[in-house]
Amino acid sequence: MREWSGLVGWRRLNAKEAGDAQNGALLAVYRRMNEHVKMGVGDNFTNFSDNLTDLSYNNRGVFLNVLATY
């Protein structure tokens, strides 16, 4: 079980100037590949991006994430 980990997150974007607010969830599962590398796959259930200049609200979807330490 130590090889697996998960992520559950709640996200909110509140754009006061635009008079808009968005909510959503982020879920991911990670597997430790070795002592220094973790790989994960997840889904972004929100429509907004971490890039706050992108107001298109079409950023929902699956992602692959690789984490490494040295």
Side-chain angles (χ1 to χ4, degrees):
M1 222 29 213
R2 296 185 131 213
E3 297 165 350
W4 292 92
S5 60
L7 167 74
V8 176
W10 183 256
R11 306 173 86 195
R12 178 168 173 83
L13 173 66
N14 189 11
K16 291 180 182 178
E17 294 80 15
D20 191 22
Q22 299 284 325
N23 291 299
L26 183 79
L27 302 173
V29 176
Y30 291 90
R31 174 141 166 77
R32 183 169 296 282
M33 306 309 284
N34 61 38
E35 184 180 350
H36 300 286
V37 178
K38 268 173 134 174
M39 291 184 71
V41 64
D43 199 341
N44 175 13
F45 294 100
T46 63
N47 291 328
F48 55 89
S49 170
D50 288 338
N51 179 357
L52 299 178
T53 63
D54 180 7
L55 298 177
S56 64
Y57 299 128
N58 63 355
N59 294 288
R60 183 179 178 144
V62 178
F63 62 88
L64 175 68
N65 195 4
V66 179
L67 304 167
T69 61
Y70 61 94

